Structure formats: C-alpha cells, structure tokens
Amino acid sequence: MSKLGRRKLLGGLLTGTAAATVAAPAYAKGKRRLKMVTTWPKNFPGLGTAPENIAKRVREMTDGEIDIKIYAAGELVGAFDSFDAVSTGTADMYNGAEYYWQGKSTAFNFFTAVPFGMTAQELNAWINFGGGQQLWEQLSAKFNVIAFQSANTGVQMGGWFNKEINSLDDFKGLKIRMPGLGGEVMRRLGAAAVSLPGGEIFPSMKSGAIDASEWVGPWNDMAFGFHQVAKFYYCPGFHEPGAGLSTGINLDVWNSLTKPQQAILRSAFAAENNFTMSEYNYKNAAALDTLTKKHKVQVRSFSPEIMKAVKITSTKVLEDAAAKDAFTAKVYKSFKASLDNSMRWGELSEEAYMKSRRSV
Ligand code: CA
C-alpha cells in the first residue's frame, strides 16, 4: 500500500473511532457509580473479599471511571433478595451463588454446583467452551440480568454434624442446612433440609434449630466458628464439588456501559474467578490443620455405602429437575455432555496423575 493509501486508511479508521465515540450514549460518559449487593457478610474471607477485589480491579482498570460500592447481606436488601434487587433495578449488580435463585428457575442450580456435578475446572470448561455461558445468558435475560462466573471455592466439605453419620438411618429427621439440589438429596434421604444465608448458620446451630450444616471448607468454616458448635466434620462435599460464584448485572445497566467498560468487567470477573480458586486451595490446608490440631475437630469421611446411596439419589434429583421444564432440560443436557467430556479426559489426566502421585 502506498503511503498516501495507508494515511487515508488510518484517517478513515480514526474518523470511524471518533464517530463511534460521539455516537455513544451520553450516560455512558463520565464516572459511573454502581451499587453491588451481595449474599455475604462484610469482607467474609473469599466470598466477601472477592466482590471487594473485583471493585478494586475495576476501579484501577478504569482509572476510577467505574466505582462499585459493595453492600453486605442485609445492608441494602436481604441476602436472598439480591437477585430481585438487580432484576428490578434497586441495585445495579449482585455477587452471590446462582442456586440461591432456584425458586425462579431450577436451571440456576447448574451455574453454581449440583450434587455429583463438576469440579471448578470442569465448570470453567462448560461455561467457557461447552455452551454454559450462552445458556446462562438466555436464562438470566428472562429476568433482565446478565451474570458471569467471578469466584470458585473448589471442592467443599460435606459439613458439620453434632453426631456421627454412620449409616443412612442417621440422616432420618436430621435438620441440616444445605442449599441447592444437595438439599433435595438430603430430603429424599429423610433429612429436613433448609437453606439459610451464611450469617444465620452459627446461631441456628448453637440454638439447636438445626443439627448440621454445610458451608464451604476449612478456611471459611473456621471463620464462622462452626467448630464451637459441632464436633464432626465430614468430607467430601458431594453436593458442591466446585461451587461457582457469580456477579450479575442489571441488563439495562450492562447495555449502558461502553464496550471497553464491558471488557474490563469481564476481565475483572475472570481474574477473580482464577484468583479465588488458588486462594481457597492455599488457605484451606492451613485452616484444616488449625481445626484438627488446635480445636480437636474430628474429621470423618462418609462411608462408601452412604456415598453410593447419595450418588444414586443425586442422579435421580438431577433427572427430576430436568423434567420440570424444557429450559432446565436443555441446560442439564448441555451440562451433562460437557461433564462426560471432562470426565473422559480427566480419567487419563488429573485422575490418573493424582492416583499415581499417592501410590508411590
Ligand atoms: Ca456450600
């Protein structure tokens, strides 16, 4: 290309950019202050610090142009009202766990975790490459929301129990806090499962309103002091093998942002998703040591007999969930195909490696 031609082309591009800038809506210019409600206590390790980190990343990347103010659970709205607050525009964004909205659609469960579902990396694979994000956007758009992955706890613990769980009979009548479809598995095994926001678990355990509760893992559970109200700590967290946490945004607010601002938000969410996974991986081990050595917590594994029954029940719960409506069926089909894909590769990669690492 001649010099003149190149200059002409560049000039054209520059004119185009300038025209696009001028055409941007007036409200997309200047500083934006966005309210983010969360389902977590203020600055709770991992869960509550992730939205703060996101706000910090976004402030830095936009040079202060987007300023996100975080509200802890109960500050602006109750934890479980966060989705409605964003859907109706009371708040601009939420940070929470999608399975808290399962009353709106059963399909939401799949975007956090389902019993005997995906690990963190398997969830990433589905969301980013297996069609998960597209289905999520279709689902959330029905409520005028768009949501993204923005944290992951990795494999959780099975929970805290005030008695040993030696057989399936021990679940009968057990009052346990377990949200999502894991709670439904517990109900089918005879337990009375409830979903409570994190901040309400400790007082409920202490008063005896509930006998058992799952929350996350050693790092988060110790922060709430569950070792003071229950002695037995069970693994594994079959109900949340890689809980994905999310940030949702009111769709009108999202559409009012410039393309660069949207790209910055996407990057901040993706960065925090990766960051939290490594943080949980690192900090759970140290917290587990403190729980067992200092606080004398008794760590137990669910027996193979219990895990077998839980797995059979989980499969039934997922199939029944998918049978509820056509959209949930579509999500389950996509989820299952991606999980099967990950498991096929995982058997020869992570699973094979972990097994051999242990054996020598
Ligand atoms: Ca949990």
Side-chain angles (χ1 to χ4, degrees):
M1 191 185 288
S2 72
K3 259 188 184 172
L4 186 67
R6 196 177 299 127
R7 199 173 300 137
K8 257 190 180 168
L9 180 65
L10 279 173
L13 281 174
L14 285 173
T15 312
T17 309
T21 309
V22 170
Y27 51 77
K29 309 281 282 171
K31 194 163 176 167
R32 297 293 303 269
R33 282 201 175 82
L34 302 177
K35 285 186 221 169
M36 187 199 278
V37 291
T38 76
T39 59
W40 324 115
K42 191 91 188 156
N43 279 321
F44 190 82
L47 306 170
T49 51
E52 299 283 354
N53 292 341
I54 289 167
K56 186 169 177 280
R57 287 180 204 280
V58 171
R59 245 191 321 270
E60 286 173 357
M61 286 194 277
T62 63
D63 197 20
E65 196 178 73
I66 297 182
D67 188 19
I68 301 171
K69 184 168 166 51
I70 314 287
Y71 295 85
E75 276 189 339
L76 197 62
V77 296
F80 293 168
D81 297 323
S82 300
F83 185 84
D84 279 341
V86 172
S87 176
T88 57
T90 304
D92 303 301
M93 308 170 82
Y94 68 73
N95 185 277
E98 298 293 295
Y99 62 18
Y100 289 150
W101 337 129
Q102 68 167 324
K104 309 270 173 205
S105 167
T106 310
F108 277 117
N109 286 290
F110 292 92
F111 301 98
T112 303
V114 295
F116 278 97
M118 293 175 172
T119 63
Q121 287 296 9
E122 287 166 352
L123 184 66
N124 287 342
W126 178 51
I127 296 288
N128 296 321
F129 294 96
Q133 182 66 35
Q134 288 83 348
L135 287 167
W136 195 359
E137 289 183 16
Q138 284 173 34
L139 174 63
S140 299
K142 295 178 189 175
F143 305 92
N144 202 38
V145 167
I146 184 167
F148 304 93
Q149 281 192 295
S150 61
N152 199 301
T153 66
V155 185
Q156 300 200 355
M157 283 291 280
W160 297 82
F161 296 78
N162 62 8
K163 64 170 187 181
E164 280 189 276
I165 303 294
N166 295 316
S167 73
L168 287 167
D169 278 346
D170 292 322
F171 285 117
K172 302 251 155 57
L174 189 80
K175 288 174 283 179
I176 183 169
R177 182 266 183 193
M178 188 174 281
L181 294 176
E184 180 56 22
V185 172
M186 285 291 111
R187 275 189 283 278
R188 293 196 190 184
L189 293 174
V194 292
S195 180
L196 295 171
E200 291 175 29
I201 301 173
F202 185 89
S204 304
M205 287 284 281
K206 201 172 180 195
S207 71
I210 54 173
D211 309 308
S213 181
E214 74 79 53
W215 175 230
V216 181
W219 179 42
N220 281 179
D221 295 2
M222 192 166 70
F224 266 149
F226 294 148
H227 52 281
Q228 297 163 34
V229 287
K231 195 171 163 194
F232 301 103
Y233 197 21
Y234 273 84
C235 76
F238 62 87
H239 61 300
E240 290 185 76
L245 308 169
S246 52
T247 301
I249 308 168
N250 177 286
L251 205 48
D252 298 327
V253 172
W254 176 254
N255 290 332
S256 77
L257 298 172
T258 63
K259 291 290 171 206
Q261 287 173 335
Q262 290 181 351
I264 285 170
L265 285 178
R266 284 180 197 276
S267 299
F269 301 149
E272 195 57 22
N273 187 44
N274 184 51
F275 184 82
T276 48
M277 262 192 280
S278 53
E279 191 175 24
Y280 274 93
N281 202 18
Y282 189 81
K283 292 181 178 172
N284 272 331
L288 182 64
D289 268 357
T290 309
L291 284 172
T292 53
K293 289 176 186 154
K294 190 175 166 201
H295 300 301
K296 309 294 176 205
V297 165
Q298 304 285 308
V299 175
R300 297 276 189 278
S301 300
F302 293 120
S303 69
E305 175 219 11
I306 288 175
M307 289 311 278
K308 190 179 169 190
V310 169
K311 186 173 176 208
I312 292 167
T313 310
S314 297
T315 306
K316 190 83 184 67
V317 164
L318 295 187
E319 283 169 359
D320 290 350
K324 273 192 175 173
D325 62 89
F327 191 80
T328 306
K330 199 170 156 187
V331 170
Y332 178 55
K333 195 179 165 203
S334 165
F335 179 94
K336 198 169 175 306
S338 189
L339 177 56
D340 288 347
N341 189 56
S342 288
M343 282 175 70
R344 225 170 29 250
W345 166 234
E347 197 181 339
L348 305 182
S349 55
E350 295 226 16
E351 218 174 305
Y353 169 67
M354 297 265 182
K355 222 182 269 174
S356 61
R357 185 168 65 178
R358 279 249 163 257
S359 68
V360 284

